[in-house]
Amino acid sequence: MLNTSDILETIRMIQDECLDIRTITMGISLLDCIDSDIDRACEKVYDKITFSARNLVKVGEQIETEYGIPIINKRISVTPIAMLASACKGRNPVKFAKALQRAADTCGVNFIGGYSALVQKGFSGGDLELIRSIPEALDVTTNICSSVNIGSTRAGINMDAVKELGGIIIESAKLTVDRQCNGPSKLVVFCNAPEDNPFMAGAFHGVGEADCVLNVGVSGPGVVRSVITRYPDATLNEIADVIKKTAFKITRMGQLVGSRASKMLDIPFGIVDLSLAPTPAVGDSVAHILEGMGLECCGTHGTTAALALLNDAVKKGGVMASSNVGGLSGAFIPVSEDAGMIAAAEQGVLTLEKLEAMTAVCSVGLDMIVIPGDTPAETISAIIADEAAIGMVNNKTTAVRVIPAIGKSEGEELDFGGLFGRAPVMPINRKSSAKFINRGGRIPAPMHSLKN
């Protein structure tokens, strides 16, 4: 039975508190596009994507009109391209990136994710070639996102891949220096990457997924913050309960949109990712939720504890609202995409070290962080290794998305515009990690990985 007060509350959430569906993402398997001839493979890729996703944008727009719910992005994720590139030895994988870009243009989607490689235990055919092609691929395309999974709780950390990616990130920043060094903003380095993540830049379609599925990513930091401000004297367990109830309502909206979209597209409904994904817009900040709990500024002492409470409450409320919860599901802390994080970083309260501590309890990791342009490749690799270690040991997804600001130093700024926002260049530890990184090899999996 329809409840008038619930309807009015949802309308208020949308109009005044920045509630939206952040993305509907169609996952498409490209395994049947593998071909030893790279040109034929690229044509198969283009044909399958444009056929499968031919109505994705139209359906998203119809649902927006039908329910009055903003759907910010319509996206596609595909099978990690390294798997296709392995059949085309000696050919430049960038051809696949260009085919994906053509498909994105034809379908009208915001992004296609999956220019990816899974190398947590070592490199197979096509992996190194694809990884080394990432800077060029992100330079010559505009809507393609890339990711590399370099570690897992079961496999340990591939430190040869970690070493490689430090230089890849710097090269990508240099190639896109005329575009605010935005290449690395579309590259995520994972540990324990999920196969059903609808959020960019880390989305790819896992090999264990169905041929074509529809995943939904919801958002609503502004809604959670607004609710918390109504309880200025509540205890923390009461705050947790309020967040759970709010997350339930937000996730139900995602469930509704996902079910409707999958039916209209005639494909299976995959998952709802109930992550709180912020934007630079005023009132749509995860940092402001933490400050609403009583912190003077995000990054001060107590921030990690407050974020742990938030993340746990979001998951508990969301799981009750949908039987199809997956992806990352929690609270994102991308510095450039969160107005409160930007302000805290500019004040020097939110530091790289504090962000690393926060990633032990949040949804992903060190996300959209701008670092000095002269940062050594080994230092970037060491940042990746630290973050991967947190994910490996704690059996959770962690990731790194850092942007070296070529030609800029601490205190200056990069402005990406749109959802990517802007961020100050944050200071880093200048002591060298080069000898450690250059050892190479693999960090073994922890003892608790042996669960068979």
Side-chain angles (χ1 to χ4, degrees):
M1 183 175 178
L2 292 175
N3 186 308
T4 304
S5 63
D6 284 347
I7 294 171
L8 292 174
E9 182 181 24
T10 303
I11 292 171
R12 186 187 69 250
M13 288 176 177
I14 293 169
Q15 290 182 341
D16 301 332
E17 298 167 357
C18 303
L19 179 62
D20 58 52
I21 298 295
R22 186 53 47 84
T23 178
I24 54 173
T25 301
M26 179 180 286
I28 303 172
S29 173
L30 299 181
L31 292 177
D32 55 352
C33 299
I34 293 175
D35 197 299
S36 59
D37 184 314
I38 193 169
D39 294 316
R40 281 202 303 265
C42 287
E43 284 307 310
K44 290 180 183 179
V45 166
Y46 174 83
D47 290 343
K48 181 161 189 184
I49 292 174
T50 53
F51 176 78
S52 301
R54 63 193 183 281
N55 294 321
L56 178 61
V57 172
K58 182 173 73 173
V59 164
E61 291 171 347
Q62 287 177 350
I63 292 173
E64 286 183 284
T65 301
E66 185 175 342
Y67 293 115
I69 299 170
I71 300 175
I72 306 303
N73 285 294
K74 293 83 176 174
R75 300 166 170 170
I76 295 169
S77 64
V78 298
T79 304
I81 293 297
M83 295 182 179
L84 282 71
S86 65
C88 313
K89 293 191 188 310
R91 304 302 300 272
N92 188 350
V94 173
K95 281 196 171 187
F96 285 108
K98 292 177 179 178
L100 294 175
Q101 182 62 55
R102 281 200 298 130
D105 293 338
T106 300
C107 296
V109 295
N110 302 96
F111 290 106
I112 292 184
Y115 197 78
S116 307
L118 311 179
V119 296
Q120 55 268 26
K121 205 167 184 179
F123 302 104
S124 60
D127 288 336
L128 263 178
E129 288 81 0
L130 182 125
I131 290 171
R132 289 170 178 168
S133 75
I134 287 172
E136 182 185 355
L138 298 181
D139 178 37
V140 301
T141 62
T142 54
N143 302 89
I144 305 308
C145 292
S146 180
S147 59
V148 181
N149 191 67
I150 51 81
S152 72
T153 299
R154 293 301 298 258
I157 302 172
N158 181 350
M159 291 299 291
D160 293 322
V162 169
K163 177 184 175 182
E164 191 82 30
L165 281 157
I168 294 297
I169 289 169
I170 290 176
E171 185 182 350
S172 181
K174 287 179 177 177
L175 286 177
T176 54
V177 68
D178 59 329
R179 285 152 280 168
Q180 295 288 295
C181 305
N182 72 355
S185 71
K186 295 179 286 182
L187 169 59
V188 180
V189 184
F190 276 117
C191 178
N192 290 322
E195 296 192 343
D196 54 3
N197 167 27
F199 283 103
M200 299 297 169
F204 65 88
H205 189 68
V207 294
E209 297 288 303
D211 189 63
C212 190
V213 298
L214 193 285
N215 297 320
V216 174
V218 300
S219 189
V223 178
V224 176
R225 178 179 181 250
S226 177
V227 170
I228 287 175
T229 59
R230 297 176 211 157
Y231 299 88
D233 301 315
T235 62
L236 290 176
N237 54 298
E238 290 169 340
I239 288 293
D241 193 52
V242 167
I243 294 171
K244 280 191 291 184
K245 292 174 181 176
T246 306
F248 178 90
K249 295 174 185 176
I250 294 170
T251 307
R252 289 302 285 174
M253 189 180 74
Q255 176 80 16
L256 170 68
V257 169
S259 299
R260 180 74 173 130
S262 67
K263 185 175 181 180
M264 293 172 71
L265 291 165
D266 194 26
I267 60 173
F269 178 23
I271 57 95
V272 177
D273 187 319
L274 46 98
S275 296
L276 292 181
T279 73
V282 174
D284 200 25
S285 162
V286 169
H288 289 159
I289 297 175
L290 306 180
E291 291 167 1
M293 293 184 196
L295 303 174
E296 183 177 354
C297 182
C298 178
T300 191
H301 303 296
T303 298
T304 306
L307 183 59
L309 182 155
L310 173 64
N311 214 50
D312 180 67
V314 166
K315 289 179 187 249
K316 287 175 177 173
V319 165
M320 291 298 294
S322 173
S323 59
N324 299 312
V325 171
L328 296 163
S329 291
F332 288 173
I333 52 171
V335 173
S336 77
E337 299 174 15
D338 185 306
M341 298 278 177
I342 295 168
E346 287 175 336
Q347 295 175 54
V349 179
L350 187 64
T351 63
L352 195 62
E353 289 75 17
K354 186 61 178 178
L355 283 162
E356 183 181 301
M358 292 164 67
T359 62
V361 299
C362 80
S363 187
V364 188
L366 297 173
D367 198 14
M368 290 302 290
I369 295 168
V370 179
I371 58 178
D374 62 352
T375 303
E378 293 87 355
T379 297
I380 295 175
S381 294
I383 290 170
I384 293 170
D386 282 344
E387 193 63 22
I390 291 173
M392 176 186 71
V393 171
N394 291 288
N395 198 24
K396 72 183 293 291
T397 300
T398 52
V400 172
R401 187 164 47 150
V402 295
I403 301 97
I406 305 302
K408 294 182 182 290
S409 56
E410 179 185 336
E412 296 184 83
E413 180 183 271
L414 287 182
D415 190 342
F416 307 105
L419 286 176
F420 281 169
R422 64 179 182 86
V425 179
M426 297 182 70
I428 61 164
N429 192 318
R430 289 289 178 176
K431 295 295 184 181
S432 176
S433 311
K435 186 172 181 179
F436 173 72
I437 293 300
N438 286 324
R439 287 180 182 274
R442 186 160 58 92
I443 295 179
M447 180 63 74
H448 59 258
S449 68
L450 300 175
K451 291 184 178 180
N452 290 336

